[in-house]
Amino acid sequence: SKNNMISIVDHKRVSNSFSKAALKYDELTDFHRNIADSLMERIPEIKNASAVLDVGIGTGYLTEKLKNKFADSEISGIDFAPGMIDQARKKMEGVSIICADASSLPFGREAFDIIVSNLAYQWVDNLSEAFRQCRSCLKEEGVFVFSMFGRNTFKELFSSFDDSIKDLKGEDF
């Protein structure tokens, strides 16, 4: 049953971590911004897009780019970290920013022409439900463009970390 499933991600802990990092986040995330820039290039030109959603807005870097590219559209963004939401709201006007989880989108059916997400879905336990929610909120001819870390992302780093842990066996680290 769903209640007996073990959560892979401690959402409250991750949310708190992102909230604490929100003030310095923009200074420390060149990697995320580079991927966001690349993601923007993959979003097709959609004329008359009335509504665009950014899932996992962080401090709003990608959201600001969406606002510029789709200037005549209603732009919305969600994030599950209140600290990130606060930072995004300080930077942007004219964007609807909501504290919400990707697995439980607070929007009606077919609300968006475009849904975009940069490096947020790896924090979601139930990707099937999150994508189902996304599809429900997307118009019939809508576009969903996202990036996320895969199974092998940074595998060399994690392998090196594992080797280091083995070397420290028995030591207080």
Side-chain angles (χ1 to χ4, degrees):
S1 90
K2 194 173 185 178
N3 291 340
N4 293 336
M5 289 179 63
I6 296 172
S7 176
I8 295 170
V9 178
D10 181 343
H11 290 279
K12 184 140 182 77
R13 186 172 166 203
V14 173
S15 174
N16 288 341
S17 293
F18 275 109
S19 287
K20 287 178 188 173
L23 289 172
K24 293 276 188 188
Y25 193 77
D26 287 338
E27 297 171 31
L28 304 172
T29 55
D30 283 343
F31 181 72
H32 286 72
R33 287 195 303 271
N34 289 339
I35 294 173
D37 292 342
S38 177
L39 191 63
M40 281 299 296
E41 294 172 10
R42 289 170 168 70
I43 300 170
E45 291 295 330
I46 297 178
K47 296 187 188 308
N48 303 323
S50 61
V52 179
L53 174 64
D54 183 359
V55 175
I57 65 170
T59 60
Y61 179 81
L62 179 61
T63 317
E64 190 70 40
K65 290 187 169 293
L66 291 167
K67 185 178 169 188
N68 292 335
K69 183 172 182 168
F70 300 100
D72 296 331
S73 302
E74 181 180 318
I75 309 294
S76 299
I78 68 157
D79 203 290
F80 72 147
M84 292 293 187
I85 294 285
D86 291 343
Q87 291 302 307
R89 285 181 177 151
K90 287 177 187 174
K91 292 187 339 188
M92 285 182 281
E93 291 183 20
V95 175
S96 174
I97 301 173
I98 301 165
C99 192
D101 189 276
S103 295
S104 184
L105 297 177
F107 306 103
R109 293 187 53 76
E110 298 189 14
F112 299 98
D113 299 285
I114 303 167
I115 299 178
V116 180
S117 179
N118 185 41
L119 301 176
Y121 280 103
Q122 67 270 6
W123 302 112
V124 174
D125 269 340
N126 189 338
L127 279 175
S128 296
E129 180 58 28
F131 290 153
R132 216 178 343 272
Q133 290 275 318
C134 192
R135 181 63 192 112
S136 174
C137 292
L138 198 60
K139 291 181 182 174
E140 188 63 35
E141 298 298 317
V143 174
F144 176 41
V145 181
F146 71 96
S147 63
M148 68 182 281
F149 294 131
R151 192 168 287 140
N152 292 321
T153 304
F154 300 125
K155 70 180 181 181
E156 296 85 357
L157 177 65
F158 288 111
S159 176
S160 176
F161 179 74
D162 288 342
D163 291 345
S164 296
I165 294 294
K166 289 175 191 168
D167 291 343
L168 294 172
K169 209 181 286 182
E171 294 181 36
D172 182 12
F173 59 93

